Amino acid sequence: MKENIRIWISIVISALLLGLVVSYCVAGWMPADSIDWILWGAMVLVGFFAVFRIANLAKMLGSKDNE
């Protein structure tokens, strides 16, 4: 039970991170400087990492429910 709660909290935190990244990327669309482009690209990578983490945590949660 504690493990399921920990997984759910991790999913919520990752979803919040994904929301922040998406809002940053939408607000900062078409940066002017090269540094801004690098930061925007890094945020896109963080967003992909958050989606990947949510998928893995959901898979872990599904395997815990089957046990």
Side-chain angles (χ1 to χ4, degrees), residues 43-56:
M43 286 295 168
V44 169
L45 289 176
V46 169
F48 284 136
F49 176 73
V51 169
F52 181 72
R53 180 162 170 79
I54 290 170
N56 282 339

Side-chain angles (χ1 to χ4, degrees), residues 21-36:
V21 166
V22 167
S23 66
Y24 175 81
C25 287
V26 168
W29 179 241
M30 295 299 290
D33 296 337
S34 60
I35 281 291
D36 292 335

Side-chain angles (χ1 to χ4, degrees), residues 3 13 34 46 58 61:
E3 186 69 23
I13 290 171
S34 60
V46 169
L61 191 62

